Amino acid sequence: MPEKDNSSPADGTILRTQPDASCSILLVDDEKGIRTVMGISLRDAGYTVTTVESGEAALQLFAEKPFPIVLTDIKMPGISGLELLRQLKQIAPETEVILISGHADMDMAIQGLKLEASDFITKPINDDLLLISLERARARLALHERLREHTASLEALIRKKSAQLIEAERKLAARQAVDGFAVGLRALSSVMAGDQQAFNELPCFIAVHDRSMQIITVNDLYRERLGNLVGHPSAEPYITNGEQMLPVELAILEGRGSRSEQVLRGKNGTEIPVLVHTAPILNNDGEIELVLELSVDELESRRLREELRMTRERFRQLFEESPCHIAVIDNEHRIQEANKAFKKTFGEPGGKQCYEVFAGSAARCEDCPMQATTNTGQVEKVVLDQQGRPLTMLVWTTPLRDTSGAVREFIEMSVDISELRQLQDRLSSLGLLMGSTAHGIKGMLTALDGTVYRIGSGIAKGDAVRIEDSLRDLRQMVSKLRKLVLDILYFSKERQLETSRIDPVELVRSVAATVTDRASESGVELEVKAEEDTGCLDADGAILHAALVNLVENAIDACRADSKTPHQVRLTVRRMQEQIEFRISDNGTGMPEEIRAKLFTLFFSSKGSGGTGIGLYVSRQIVLQHAGRIEVESTLGEGSTFIVSIPGALPC
């Protein structure tokens, strides 16, 4: 049964003074002590916590009452944390699930992230990291809610303005239809003697005049706006200059209908610009007996046209200036229209299919957001911008239906959450990094203790050989520990380049001086070769030096692991057109293809327990930060060559 505490938070600092819905957490762990301790900590931070002891109990409780945030242990009897994550995402895709594990397992973390886990935290749990992870989860929940509200408001606005647009077009159509309607009414003199309901339904002023220029009947709208002028002269409602012939008079004289712009006087004295249509009505002898006059209120028509223009302009501005990427896509997946943000990121769509623009593919996406419209209408996708860079987008789609209810087009709105995902991945990787390197650091410290003991023993016994060997081991251990700490610091904090004009030849010589002792102790000959007129380079010399040292030390280690002799590492630098090329070659063990494919992957090491899997990853990141590239050529049993190319070669 779930254990729930509805008491108020304990005194102290909390994250929320007024908890909202996103403060509700379901904690799943098979260890009661962890549930108790974490529950107390989270409640003190302002969260409402419900705890259960198994994945089965969590699913049963979640079916009755979904929770916005779930904290779950990975390894539990019965349903594991990963299986619980998968089932929870099927029930409520927006639920944020944070995985907890006592083991820093990279494969397990990757599986969790593929199943859309919010974060991955290792035990023992640091309260500050846990609260930061929860805040990020709540931020994502808030983002989902704001986007849903934005979508709902936009849909309501579209429905409202569409109704106004239809009404405006209906009234505008009345004006365009009056000419044809007036012609048809020439034979309706008999109707005027009977029921006038049809005329009262029309959105225009209707009056019938006799040959003596008197008004004999009007419709309800005429009577409401101009007054009950039956029996009054035909000229009474007109505002004229006295010289202009009235439309009714012109129809009687010429025997045909006409159309003209006039100004009528309302019963409250206001001026009403109108478009007047007249049609003579003949008797049985073919003589003009009556004149039908229809007048369309131009003021209302102008107002409606202006309102229509403003509505369209507002929609256009909302569409263009929205910070989201918005596109209108038809049923054939062809992009019909896109806003500024979309064009800036993906370029001009030019009538292309959406999967061509987003994925550079000739086939439709398997997880197409348009297909998801009938379900959730929201998916997370990785797409490519116009430079081919991957972006993580949160995508919403809304169908546009015609009057019959059939879907004609889709509005697709997407938000770039790449930075959020990168931050999440970086924090997750940092947690894994700390866990995976802790054992290595512990081993190095143990070895340092042993070396210090051997030095002390050598000093006590006056054994110079023992002291010298121990000092050599001590230097190697300190060098490894320093390198590991520097790699961790570089990985854990993004560092901006501090560029200056550097000489690549001097850089290579400095690298060689740094690793000379290690090469000598390993029995490896280190050779430096620099071409003349190499030029200079605008780069961050400090971190580029660290990257090259990493590569050279990796080459020395490859030689040490090889049984043949002699061993040599060659470090060369030369200018290749507008680039500076550094080559680090060794005749060590070499690598098979499967090792080369994973060489720059974080935490991967071909040295087994002798490596951390960080150095080459960091070196590659440094080269990429300089807009350069790094390549590897290797033959198993013969050696390897690392080629680093940095653009921007300049004369010194």
Side-chain angles (χ1 to χ4, degrees):
M1 293 296 291
E3 306 152 5
K4 186 170 183 180
D5 184 359
N6 293 322
S7 61
S8 301
D11 293 339
T13 303
I14 59 174
L15 293 178
R16 292 286 186 275
T17 56
Q18 295 182 346
D20 53 26
S22 63
C23 291
S24 179
I25 298 176
L26 176 61
L27 173 61
V28 188
D29 200 300
D30 59 327
E31 296 182 33
K32 185 175 181 180
I34 291 179
R35 296 198 305 271
T36 301
V37 172
M38 286 187 65
I40 292 173
S41 177
L42 292 172
R43 291 178 187 113
D44 286 345
Y47 291 90
T48 301
V49 184
T50 301
T51 64
V52 293
E53 72 281 2
S54 67
E56 292 84 350
L59 287 173
Q60 182 178 357
L61 182 61
F62 197 90
E64 301 172 358
K65 174 192 173 184
F67 290 78
I69 301 176
V70 177
L71 281 165
T72 178
D73 192 10
I74 291 182
K75 294 186 177 181
M76 298 184 295
I79 295 178
S80 68
L82 290 176
E83 177 60 19
L84 176 60
L85 165 63
R86 187 185 65 79
Q87 295 194 35
L88 289 179
K89 284 294 183 178
Q90 290 178 348
I91 298 172
E94 291 185 6
T95 296
E96 297 293 334
V97 181
I98 300 174
L99 297 177
I100 304 173
S101 175
H103 309 277
D105 190 309
M106 184 62 177
D107 291 336
M108 191 175 297
I110 291 175
Q111 291 180 42
L113 294 176
K114 285 182 178 180
L115 291 172
E116 300 183 350
S118 175
D119 211 338
F120 183 92
I121 301 176
T122 57
K123 298 177 182 178
I125 297 172
N126 181 290
D127 287 344
D128 290 338
L129 292 178
L130 176 60
L131 294 180
I132 290 172
S133 180
L134 290 171
E135 281 300 305
R136 290 202 308 271
R138 293 185 60 196
R140 285 191 292 273
L141 290 169
L143 175 62
H144 295 331
E145 183 61 27
R146 287 197 299 272
L147 288 172
R148 276 198 300 271
E149 292 173 357
H150 176 70
T151 301
S153 299
L154 185 58
E155 289 175 346
L157 183 60
I158 289 174
R159 286 194 297 270
K160 177 182 176 182
K161 293 303 181 182
S162 295
Q164 293 178 349
L165 181 61
I166 291 172
E167 178 64 18
E169 290 178 345
R170 183 185 69 82
K171 292 182 178 180
L172 189 60
R175 171 186 173 185
Q176 297 171 344
V178 166
D179 280 338
F181 183 70
V183 173
L185 286 177
R186 292 180 181 176
L188 293 181
S189 57
S190 59
V191 175
M192 297 306 297
D195 187 13
Q196 298 183 24
Q197 183 63 29
F199 296 99
N200 289 330
E201 296 295 333
L202 295 177
C204 56
F205 307 126
I206 301 178
V208 178
H209 305 256
D210 61 16
R211 286 185 58 84
S212 60
M213 299 284 291
Q214 283 193 337
I215 302 172
I216 62 173
T217 185
V218 296
N219 69 344
D220 287 346
L221 183 61
Y222 191 108
R223 187 178 294 105
E224 176 187 342
R225 298 282 302 279
L226 304 179
N228 189 6
L229 300 181
V230 174
H232 290 243
S234 300
E236 185 169 332
Y238 285 91
I239 299 176
T240 65
N241 55 14
E243 300 178 357
Q244 183 180 0
M245 186 175 292
L246 298 178
V248 175
E249 183 181 5
L250 186 62
I252 294 173
L253 290 176
E254 295 184 353
R256 59 182 178 85
S258 64
R259 182 176 65 179
S260 61
E261 293 184 354
Q262 304 289 334
V263 179
L264 301 180
R265 181 183 294 105
K267 64 181 181 180
N268 56 0
T270 59
E271 295 184 357
I272 304 174
V274 293
L275 184 63
V276 179
H277 299 258
T278 57
I281 299 175
L282 308 179
N283 58 20
N284 293 335
D285 298 328
E287 298 175 345
I288 296 177
E289 182 176 349
L290 303 171
V291 176
L292 179 64
E293 179 190 67
L294 300 96
S295 304
V296 178
D297 186 347
E298 280 283 279
L299 190 63
E300 178 68 9
S301 179
R302 292 173 187 171
R303 186 188 67 79
L304 290 174
R305 286 199 300 272
E306 179 62 19
E307 183 177 340
L308 178 61
R309 187 193 67 79
M310 291 295 295
T311 299
R312 288 173 173 167
E313 181 64 24
R314 284 195 293 269
F315 271 109
R316 171 56 57 182
Q317 188 172 3
L318 177 64
F319 179 79
E320 289 291 349
E321 302 302 330
S322 173
C324 316
H325 303 82
I326 304 178
V328 179
I329 305 174
D330 63 20
N331 284 324
E332 300 300 321
H333 294 259
R334 194 175 300 279
I335 300 176
Q336 300 294 335
E337 197 167 358
N339 70 342
K340 289 181 181 178
F342 184 100
K343 294 175 182 177
K344 182 178 179 181
T345 301
F346 301 104
E348 288 287 345
K352 296 179 181 177
Q353 263 79 18
C354 56
Y355 44 82
E356 292 182 78
V357 174
F358 295 139
S361 172
R364 296 179 182 178
C365 305
E366 293 183 1
D367 54 345
C368 176
M370 288 168 55
Q371 301 302 324
T373 297
T374 54
N375 300 318
T376 64
Q378 172 189 323
V379 297
E380 184 174 314
K381 281 183 63 65
V382 176
V383 300
L384 302 177
D385 66 7
Q386 58 183 326
Q387 280 80 39
R389 296 172 299 191
L391 301 175
T392 303
M393 309 293 286
L394 200 57
V395 184
W396 285 262
T397 52
T398 300
L400 296 177
R401 304 178 186 273
D402 59 17
T403 54
S404 66
V407 176
R408 297 300 183 189
E409 293 178 326
F410 294 85
I411 291 182
E412 182 177 276
M413 294 175 288
S414 54
V415 178
D416 185 357
I417 59 170
S418 301
E419 292 187 5
L420 182 64
R421 285 295 183 235
Q422 289 171 3
L423 177 61
Q424 176 184 342
D425 294 344
R426 189 171 186 85
L427 290 174
S428 298
S429 299
L430 185 58
L432 291 173
L433 171 64
M434 295 299 103
S436 65
T437 55
H439 180 73
I441 293 176
K442 180 181 177 182
M444 291 183 187
L445 293 176
T446 302
L448 283 173
D449 286 339
T451 303
V452 171
Y453 172 78
R454 286 195 295 132
I455 291 175
S457 175
I459 293 173
K461 296 178 180 180
D463 189 343
V465 174
R466 185 183 183 92
I467 293 173
E468 183 178 352
D469 289 343
S470 300
L471 284 174
R472 183 173 61 253
D473 292 343
L474 181 62
R475 285 196 298 270
Q476 290 179 354
M477 288 295 176
V478 170
S479 176
K480 287 183 179 180
L481 188 59
R482 179 183 62 83
K483 178 178 176 297
L484 177 60
V485 171
L486 290 176
D487 286 343
I488 292 173
L489 288 174
Y490 180 86
F491 174 78
S492 62
K493 181 179 180 182
E494 185 174 352
R495 183 182 187 275
Q496 297 298 322
L497 295 180
E498 298 178 2
T499 59
S500 61
R501 187 66 56 86
I502 64 172
D503 184 345
V505 175
E506 291 300 322
L507 176 63
V508 167
R509 289 172 179 165
S510 175
V511 170
T514 303
V515 299
T516 294
D517 290 344
R518 183 173 182 182
S520 299
E521 292 170 359
S522 302
V524 178
E525 178 187 354
L526 181 62
E527 179 183 354
V528 176
K529 183 178 180 181
E531 292 186 355
E532 296 182 1
D533 299 326
T534 302
C536 286
L537 191 66
D538 283 339
D540 190 324
I543 65 171
L544 195 55
H545 180 278
L548 294 175
V549 167
N550 260 336
L551 297 175
V552 175
E553 289 184 341
N554 192 72
I556 294 172
D557 290 340
C559 291
R560 292 178 60 186
D562 188 41
S563 58
K564 66 176 180 289
T565 56
H567 286 112
Q568 183 184 59
V569 173
R570 176 177 295 175
L571 176 57
T572 63
V573 59
R574 61 178 179 173
R575 179 171 179 168
M576 299 289 290
Q577 296 180 347
E578 301 301 320
Q579 296 186 340
I580 300 297
E581 180 184 275
F582 302 90
R583 281 180 175 257
I584 299 95
S585 303
D586 66 77
N587 61 345
T589 57
M591 294 174 284
E593 177 64 31
E594 58 270 20
I595 295 296
R596 293 203 303 272
K598 302 177 182 178
L599 199 58
F600 298 106
T601 303
L602 184 62
F603 307 133
F604 174 79
S605 175
S606 60
K607 306 173 189 176
S609 60
T612 63
I614 306 173
L616 289 180
Y617 172 84
V618 169
S619 295
R620 181 175 181 271
Q621 294 303 110
I622 291 173
V623 172
L624 292 178
Q625 200 172 3
H626 282 83
R629 70 178 188 275
I630 182 169
E631 303 174 53
V632 183
E633 299 174 355
S634 183
T635 302
L636 188 61
E638 296 183 10
S640 305
T641 299
F642 287 78
I643 305 167
V644 176
S645 300
I646 306 294
L650 300 168
C652 289

